[in-house]
């Protein structure tokens, strides 16, 4: 008998923000390939954005993930096409294990957003001006509270509340606590077998 | 919404149900696994005490970490050996077929599927690698997935997905001399943007696509993901069937071929299919394309000037400025004459037999430039053997190329093949991201296999069409 897994709902994420600016930040930058020579995700947090954070002598470079005021942040605020490139789940895993619980941005690569969802991390979007305003606010208010309300599709920072978009399937999955799809899909074993039986190329197992 | 496309038909055939979250649950016809993205998924299955649902529809190889020189065990790199051993233990326990390097069938996951005939039209294929879109060349729906989704597929042989829109990209006309599939796809990504495909799958069509062989179609579908599309495909046709007829799956079983062919024909997009978007590109106007920056969308024709960042759309300016600083290029110049230190012919984009033939044709009778370290890394052990059977290895070796074993190699630098320092690399691979080829100061210029060959012999980015003329002048 398979073990049941408790899946929490993610209606909103609250905490402080951390801005990482720039378009087209790919997953090779979020977690360089050499740190993927591992068979578990456990230690990946310390390698998030590694090559953007450290030079060849392992000296710290300017990067928000190095800055003291952001060390407890859990809402990452990014720009366009974040998480493009490789499908490696190591990227959202590294962010999650560093402490990120939600990502707010202009747009996300689809596999990246899907990987985040599989970890219960919302990826919510808004237009460029809205995102830049949030980033500027976070810089000015590193201790200020941000609330990402997944159910209501809003982000509140300081006294400001803005509308954001949450993909409908993502919203439903997070709010209803059905984002871990293994058990959900395993429950349909008969229908799976039926679909397979109707495919001319699939043999019986 | 689209209607009557291959995407719609294959989706409907594989849809198990709509899940409570609104996503569709899709049956997976083939699950390809490799050593980098699967171990954690097997770990999660063990935690939940779940067995692999359909080992018969799961197929494993090793490609990302495998050394391309000495593959004797234990592997020289401890971390690589651990990953290899983990994969071996997982596939043995589950009873999954594994093309390890001792079998003669090992290779890049997107090369071995098509060559063995397990990549077929009208199937759904997933793999924990974004270039799974490659398999769309056969009229399959093929998606890259993350590790949690690998867990889902191992557990249920299904995956949860949302249906996308379909954009038909029609490439008209005949491709010019020296112009190939890689130039076409780099042009598409440049024109539509690296995020232009978000929310879409791409159907590639038109004379320029249909006249390509399967290898060229694979190169194009391979890079769908660099354009932001979740998948890309070409409708199956006689070219597709000819390829399949000669694979392991059907060579000795013509009855199976005849049994499946009507299905393959039935899933092709209808003549009156409806698309969410249609884009037309003039194939005859495409010239050899190279990248000047650090995303695959930053490409230009070899005779075109590098753009001034200020002339680009506002959201591209900053990325372009940083890219030009990294690559050390200036607006107004062309990429022709850009010095290269390394020539890499390999990757799931361009390491098939046809790619090696293309490059060998350029290399034959010439020598690798003194300042260039040049390597050929065949996409699979079978590609390597086939190339050796027709003497391509000799052509490359005589010219001064290093002839290596099959694997992902320098494409992403998870093995010993990496750029060093600020080396510039003429590369047939798919990504020019900063740090991608193993050195964060490395500079990658993406181009076709022919153009890599030309760069290898001249030591600089070179218009392959001008290569013979240059020798006459010299």
């Amino acid at each position: 008998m398979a073990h049941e897994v408790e899946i929490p709902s993610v209606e909103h994420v609250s905490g402080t923000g951390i801005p990482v600016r720039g378009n087209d930040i790919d997953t090779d930058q979020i977690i360089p390939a050499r740190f993927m020579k591992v068979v578990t995700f456990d230690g990946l947090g310390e390698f998030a954005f590694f090559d953007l954070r450290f030079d060849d002598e392992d000296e710290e470079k300017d990067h928000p993930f190095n800055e003291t005021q952001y060390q407890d942040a859990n809402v990452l605020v990014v720009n366009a096409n974040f998480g493009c490139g490789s499908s490696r789940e190591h990227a959202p895993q590294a962010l999650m294990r560093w402490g990120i619980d939600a990502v707010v941005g202009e747009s996300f690569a689809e596999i990246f957003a899907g990987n985040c969802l599989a970890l219960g991390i919302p990826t919510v979007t808004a237009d460029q001006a809205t995102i830049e305003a949030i980033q500027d606010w976070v810089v000015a208010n590193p201790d200020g509270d941000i609330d990402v309300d997944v159910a209501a599709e809003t982000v509140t920072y300081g006294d400001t509340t803005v509308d954001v978009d949450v993909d409908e399937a993502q919203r439903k999955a997070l709010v209803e606590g059905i984002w871990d799809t293994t058990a959900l899909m395993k429950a349909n074993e008969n229908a799976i077998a039926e679909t397979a039986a109707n495919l001319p190329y699939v043999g019986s197992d | 919404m689209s209607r009557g496309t291959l995407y719609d038909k294959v989706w409907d055939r594989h849809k198990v149900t709509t899940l409570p979250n609104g996503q569709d649950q899709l049956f997976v016809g083939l699950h390809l696994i490799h050593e980098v993205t699967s171990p954690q998924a097997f770990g999660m299955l063990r935690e939940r005490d779940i067995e692999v649902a359909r080992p018969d529809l799961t197929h494993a190889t090793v490609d990302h970490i495998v050394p391309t020189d000495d593959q004797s065990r234990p592997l020289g790199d401890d971390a690589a050996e651990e990953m290899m051993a983990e994969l071996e233990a997982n596939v043995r326990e589950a009873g999954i077929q594994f093309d390890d390097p001792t079998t003669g069938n090992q290779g890049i996951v997107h090369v071995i599927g098509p060559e063995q005939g397990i990549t077929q039209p009208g199937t759904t294929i997933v793999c924990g690698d974004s270039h799974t879109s490659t398999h769309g060349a056969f009229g399959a729906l093929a998606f890259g997935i993350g590790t949690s989704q690998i867990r889902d597929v191992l557990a249920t042989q299904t995956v949860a997905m949302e249906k996308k829109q379909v954009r038909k990209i029609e490439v008209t006309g005949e491709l010019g001399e020296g112009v190939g599939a890689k130039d076409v796809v780099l042009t598409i990504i440049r024109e539509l943007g690296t995020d232009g495909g978000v929310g879409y799958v791409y159907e590639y069509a038109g004379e320029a696509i249909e006249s390509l062989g399967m290898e060229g179609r694979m190169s194009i579908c391979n890079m769908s993901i660099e354009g932001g599309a979740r998948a890309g495909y070409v409708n199956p046709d006689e070219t597709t069937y000819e390829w399949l007829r000669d694979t392991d799956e059907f060579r000795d079983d013509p009855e199976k071929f005849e049994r499946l062919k009507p299905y393959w024909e039935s899933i092709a997009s209808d003549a009156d299919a409806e698309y969410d978007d249609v884009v037309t590109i003039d194939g005859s106007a495409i010239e050899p394309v190279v990248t000047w920056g650090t995303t695959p969308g930053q490409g230009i024709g070899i005779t075109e000037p590098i753009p001034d960042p200020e002339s680009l759309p506002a959201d591209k300016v900053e990325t372009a400025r940083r890219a030009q600083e990294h690559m050390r290029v200036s607006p107004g110049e062309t990429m022709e004459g850009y010095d290269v230190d390394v020539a890499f012919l390999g990757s799931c984009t361009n390491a098939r037999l046809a790619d090696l033939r293309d490059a060998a044709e350029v290399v034959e009778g010439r020598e690798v430039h003194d300042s260039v370290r040049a390597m050929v890394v065949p996409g699979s052990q079978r590609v390597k053997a086939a190339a050796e059977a027709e003497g391509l290895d000799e052509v490359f070796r005589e010219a001064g190329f290093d002839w290596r074993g099959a694997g992902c190699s320098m494409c992403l630098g998870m093995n010993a093949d990496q750029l060093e320092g600020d080396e510039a690399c003429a590369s047939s691979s798919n990504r020019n991201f900063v740090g991608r080829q193993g050195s964060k100061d490395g500079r990658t210029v993406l181009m076709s296999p022919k153009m890599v060959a030309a760069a290898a012999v001249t030591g600089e980015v070179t218009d392959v069409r001008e290569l013979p003329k240059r020798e006459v002048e010299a």
Side-chain angles (χ1 to χ4, degrees):
Chain A
M1 185 60 199
H3 300 156
E4 291 296 323
V5 183
E6 192 76 23
I7 309 299
S9 66
V10 184
E11 285 176 42
H12 59 92
V13 174
S14 297
T16 59
I18 175 168
V20 170
R21 295 181 198 264
N23 296 334
D24 302 314
I25 292 178
D26 55 77
T27 53
D28 276 83
Q29 291 179 56
I30 299 170
I31 184 84
R34 63 184 184 281
F35 300 118
M36 288 163 52
K37 281 192 188 172
V38 287
V39 294
T40 76
F41 291 127
D42 295 346
L44 292 182
E46 60 183 296
F47 302 120
F49 294 117
F50 194 87
D51 290 344
L52 298 174
R53 289 166 60 197
F54 299 97
D55 67 15
D56 291 335
E57 278 75 48
D58 283 341
E59 297 290 326
E60 283 192 4
K61 298 202 282 194
D62 283 343
H63 191 276
F65 271 56
N66 287 338
E67 292 176 30
T68 323
Q69 71 269 33
Y70 297 129
Q71 291 311 304
D72 296 325
N74 62 340
V75 178
L76 177 63
V77 192
V78 300
N79 299 104
N81 201 27
F82 187 79
C84 59
S86 162
S87 62
R88 60 187 70 158
E89 189 173 301
H90 302 69
Q93 288 274 359
L95 296 176
M96 179 176 81
R97 286 160 200 272
W98 187 86
I100 298 300
D101 298 319
V103 197
V104 180
E106 291 172 42
S107 61
F108 298 92
E110 280 168 4
I111 300 180
F112 178 82
N115 287 341
C116 285
L117 176 60
L119 305 178
I121 299 173
T123 48
V124 311
T125 58
D127 61 43
Q128 187 183 354
T130 304
I131 294 297
E132 285 175 0
I134 300 175
Q135 288 176 327
D136 292 345
W137 184 85
V138 169
V139 171
N141 302 277
D143 297 325
D145 279 335
I146 293 191
D147 185 78
V148 179
D149 191 325
V150 178
E153 300 190 60
T154 59
V155 170
T156 302
Y157 57 101
D159 299 329
T160 310
T161 296
V162 291
D163 288 333
V164 295
D165 289 318
V166 186
D167 171 82
E168 185 50 30
Q170 183 188 121
R171 196 181 69 84
K172 206 164 157 55
L174 290 170
V175 171
E176 294 179 16
I178 48 174
W179 47 268
D180 182 318
T181 37
T182 302
L184 207 60
M185 295 201 295
K186 207 164 167 46
N188 301 329
E189 273 174 346
N190 290 339
I192 296 171
E194 209 172 298
T195 306
N198 285 324
L199 289 165
Y201 69 90
V202 177
S204 53
D205 68 65
Chain B
M1 284 303 281
S2 62
R3 195 185 55 79
T5 70
L6 179 144
Y7 179 68
D8 295 293
K9 295 184 200 182
V10 179
W11 188 279
D12 290 347
R13 292 288 299 240
H14 290 77
K15 181 176 162 179
V16 173
T17 185
T18 301
L19 295 168
N21 66 13
Q23 289 181 307
D24 281 353
Q25 179 174 3
L26 283 193
F27 187 77
V28 171
L30 174 63
H31 184 196
L32 297 163
I33 61 175
H34 62 81
E35 75 283 10
V36 181
T37 55
S38 71
Q40 300 87 350
F42 279 104
M44 292 187 251
L45 277 201
R46 274 192 285 274
E47 277 170 23
R48 298 180 188 201
D49 195 20
I50 298 174
E51 286 188 0
V52 175
R54 292 293 298 254
D56 59 320
L57 300 179
T58 312
H59 198 107
T61 189
V62 59
D63 52 13
H64 286 64
I65 54 95
V66 78
T68 60
D69 48 4
D70 178 11
Q71 296 184 340
S72 57
R73 302 289 300 279
L75 300 174
D77 176 342
D78 290 344
E81 175 59 31
E82 190 189 352
M83 294 175 86
M84 180 79 159
E86 183 82 13
L87 182 64
E88 282 171 336
N90 286 333
V91 296
R92 199 179 307 123
E93 189 185 328
I96 294 166
Q97 188 178 336
F98 177 35
D99 296 330
D100 77 50
T102 65
T103 61
N105 297 325
Q106 174 264 336
I108 306 177
V109 67
H110 311 308
V111 176
I112 66 158
E115 76 188 0
Q116 295 182 23
I118 55 176
T119 296
Q120 296 167 11
T123 61
T124 46
I125 301 178
V126 300
C127 173
D129 187 288
S130 61
H131 292 107
T132 307
S133 59
T134 309
H135 306 265
F138 288 78
L141 290 190
F143 306 97
I145 57 174
T147 297
S148 295
Q149 286 175 301
I150 297 174
R151 173 198 66 206
D152 284 355
V153 181
L154 290 173
T156 67
Q157 200 61 26
T158 62
V159 67
M161 279 195 176
E162 277 161 84
K163 208 164 171 216
K164 305 292 175 195
Q165 296 186 290
V166 185
R167 173 180 291 144
K168 184 180 191 177
I169 300 179
E170 202 157 4
V171 187
T172 60
E174 206 175 314
L175 299 178
E177 184 69 29
V179 178
K182 186 66 161 287
D183 306 301
V184 172
V185 71
L186 285 171
T187 300
I188 292 170
I189 299 165
R190 173 198 182 183
E191 294 201 2
L192 300 179
T194 48
D195 55 357
V198 172
Y200 287 98
V201 300
Y202 283 169
E203 174 175 313
Y204 301 101
E207 189 190 341
I209 303 288
E210 286 153 16
S211 60
L212 291 169
M214 292 313 296
E215 288 96 338
R217 297 177 186 189
M218 283 189 256
S219 299
I220 289 178
C221 291
N222 174 278
M223 291 188 71
S224 301
I225 191 72
E226 316 311 338
R230 187 67 189 267
Y233 65 87
V234 177
N235 280 303
D237 61 9
E238 285 307 319
T239 305
T240 322
Y241 308 142
E242 282 309 305
W243 171 288
L244 286 164
R245 210 189 293 276
D246 200 29
T247 59
D248 302 359
E249 284 291 299
F250 302 107
R251 199 179 299 115
D252 302 321
D253 195 352
E255 274 176 32
K256 185 176 180 185
F257 180 91
E258 292 304 329
R259 183 164 57 79
L260 287 177
K261 195 177 173 198
Y263 171 63
W264 301 338
E265 290 170 331
S266 74
I267 52 88
S269 294
D270 295 332
D272 62 351
E274 287 170 21
Y275 297 87
D276 300 288
D277 191 31
V278 178
V279 171
T280 304
I281 289 173
D282 178 3
S284 66
I286 296 174
E287 59 174 349
V289 179
V290 295
T291 54
W292 51 262
T294 54
T295 82
Q298 291 169 328
I300 43 168
I302 186 68
T303 66
E304 284 180 85
I306 295 162
D308 182 347
E310 304 302 330
S311 71
L312 298 172
D315 61 331
K316 303 278 182 239
V317 174
E318 186 50 38
T319 314
R321 206 180 285 140
R322 266 187 287 119
Q324 293 191 355
E325 198 177 314
H326 180 86
M327 295 300 290
R328 290 185 238 145
V329 298
S330 307
E333 298 170 357
T334 67
M335 281 302 286
E336 205 167 7
Y338 186 82
D339 286 337
V340 302
D341 308 293
V342 178
F344 171 59
L345 182 56
S347 84
C348 59
T349 314
N350 278 127
R352 298 182 179 79
L353 188 57
D355 300 313
L356 304 194
R357 282 180 186 148
D358 274 357
E361 207 175 287
V362 175
V363 165
E364 188 149 27
R366 297 187 168 102
E367 272 178 34
V368 169
H369 193 271
D370 288 347
S371 65
V372 176
R373 165 160 86 90
M375 61 167 85
V376 185
V377 184
S380 70
Q381 292 182 325
R382 289 194 190 186
V383 168
K384 183 175 186 179
E388 287 173 355
E390 54 187 77
L392 300 184
D393 60 322
E394 281 308 308
V395 173
F396 286 116
R397 278 208 189 94
E398 275 170 23
F401 276 85
D402 199 0
W403 179 254
R404 301 179 77 88
C408 297
S409 184
M410 197 187 263
C411 178
L412 87 168
M414 269 193 86
N415 49 80
D417 304 343
Q418 304 195 348
L419 292 183
E420 289 164 21
D422 65 355
E423 279 180 330
C425 179
S427 178
S428 69
S429 62
N430 40 53
R431 289 186 175 141
N432 50 346
F433 300 146
V434 172
R436 173 72 181 179
Q437 292 192 280
S439 165
K440 53 191 167 183
D441 299 318
R443 294 167 290 148
T444 302
V445 183
L446 302 179
M447 59 187 78
S448 71
K450 282 185 184 178
M451 290 287 282
V452 169
V457 300
T458 62
E460 57 189 41
V461 174
T462 299
D463 187 342
V464 67
R465 300 170 301 182
E466 300 292 322
L467 190 58
K469 278 189 224 162
R470 283 177 47 138
E471 283 162 333
V472 174
E473 283 165 21

